[in-house]
Amino acid sequence: GDSVTQMEGPVTLSEEAFLTINCTYTATGYPSLFWYVQYPGEGLQLLLKATKADDKGSNKGFEATYRKETTSFHLEKGSVQVSDSAVYFCALGSNAGNMLTFGGGTRLMVKP
Amino acid sequence: SQTIHQWPATLVQPVGSPLSLECTVEGTSNPNLYWYRQAAGRGLQLLFYSVGIGQISSEVPQNLSASRPQDRQFILSSKKLLLSDSGFYLCAWSVDMDSSYGYTFGSGTRLTVV
């Protein structure tokens, strides 16, 4: 079945550091890929998505590229801020239906 | 535009008491609806999902049940709460039969069973 693997956290960075959160997936066909962000005490918000190979999703300075050859969708940001401290979830949507499969989440802590 | 409402935001309930959490979606019809639980510091656990009125699929055997009495209403219930039911409960909706849109989540309910 479908699965998503993300790097375990917490990831602790200083402000303005470069961020990479790794995400790899296993799925049949051509799934859609997503990054969600959860700020403390809130629900999940869609951060970005990509629906086909080589697509790049971007939002709020975050980027992720759909790499089918490596089955990856790594999240990157060039310069993190304290306000980026949150839990980040990678997810895939199977083209066989409408269920999303989520990774375990990665907590990011950014220190001033 | 579509919106999702979830309430209450926080709830403290004694062990053995009943539970009812409600989720409603506006601005769309025939959504797929989902209930997730998130234990402290943990990932998402899918509890129930529904593809239509009265159609409920349970993912994990537990002390909880779900109902969908109307197209855009999804209710999570328990007859007798356990301490282990504490957690952050999230409702979500999605477009039927198209995963490329992803899910839209509500703001969550923090349940503490004491």
Side-chain angles (χ1 to χ4, degrees):
Chain A
D2 297 345
S3 67
V4 176
T5 303
Q6 327 181 198
M7 56 191 299
E8 290 194 19
V11 174
T12 303
L13 296 173
S14 298
E15 203 164 23
E16 299 183 1
F18 185 85
L19 168 71
T20 299
I21 299 178
N22 291 336
C23 171
T24 57
Y25 68 91
T26 301
T28 56
Y30 302 92
S32 297
L33 299 173
F34 307 85
W35 276 102
Y36 284 83
V37 58
Q38 184 181 31
Y39 298 105
E42 299 183 9
L44 278 70
Q45 303 174 27
L46 178 63
L47 180 59
L48 53 85
K49 70 176 185 180
T51 57
K52 60 183 187 293
D54 299 324
D55 268 2
K56 177 185 285 187
S58 61
N59 186 25
K60 300 181 180 180
F62 291 89
E63 293 183 341
T65 301
Y66 189 161
R67 302 288 189 197
K68 187 161 179 64
E69 64 276 14
T70 55
T71 61
S72 64
F73 193 54
H74 305 321
L75 183 68
E76 297 182 334
K77 186 175 185 181
S79 177
V80 294
Q81 305 299 312
V82 173
S83 57
D84 294 327
S85 298
V87 180
Y88 293 82
F89 290 91
C90 185
L92 74 83
S94 169
N95 56 7
N98 47 22
M99 296 292 288
L100 294 192
T101 300
F102 286 88
T106 302
R107 182 174 299 278
L108 170 66
M109 299 173 61
V110 181
K111 298 184 176 181
Chain B
S1 64
Q2 302 91 355
T3 56
I4 180 168
H5 302 282
Q6 200 180 331
W7 68 92
T10 60
L11 194 58
V12 179
Q13 291 285 96
V15 169
S17 64
L19 173 73
S20 181
L21 303 181
E22 188 162 344
C23 173
T24 60
V25 180
E26 296 178 357
T28 188
S29 59
N30 196 33
N32 290 333
L33 297 170
Y34 310 86
W35 278 112
Y36 282 86
R37 178 169 58 198
Q38 193 176 24
R42 306 290 293 276
L44 299 168
Q45 180 185 35
L46 178 63
L47 301 176
F48 302 95
Y49 69 93
S50 171
V51 298
I53 296 175
Q55 300 179 61
I56 309 295
S57 296
S58 174
E59 291 295 302
V60 181
Q62 61 221 323
N63 185 41
L64 302 169
S65 62
S67 62
R68 184 170 177 174
Q70 300 179 40
D71 181 44
R72 290 169 290 176
Q73 184 184 30
F74 205 23
I75 297 172
L76 184 69
S77 304
S78 174
K79 293 182 179 179
K80 289 185 178 182
L81 284 168
L82 306 172
L83 287 174
S84 58
D85 292 323
S86 293
F88 192 51
Y89 288 82
L90 289 160
C91 181
W93 76 273
S94 70
V95 174
D96 187 33
M97 294 307 294
D98 189 345
S99 65
S100 68
Y101 288 93
Y103 291 177
T104 301
F105 285 84
S107 54
T109 295
R110 173 78 57 195
L111 172 65
T112 304
V113 182
V114 296

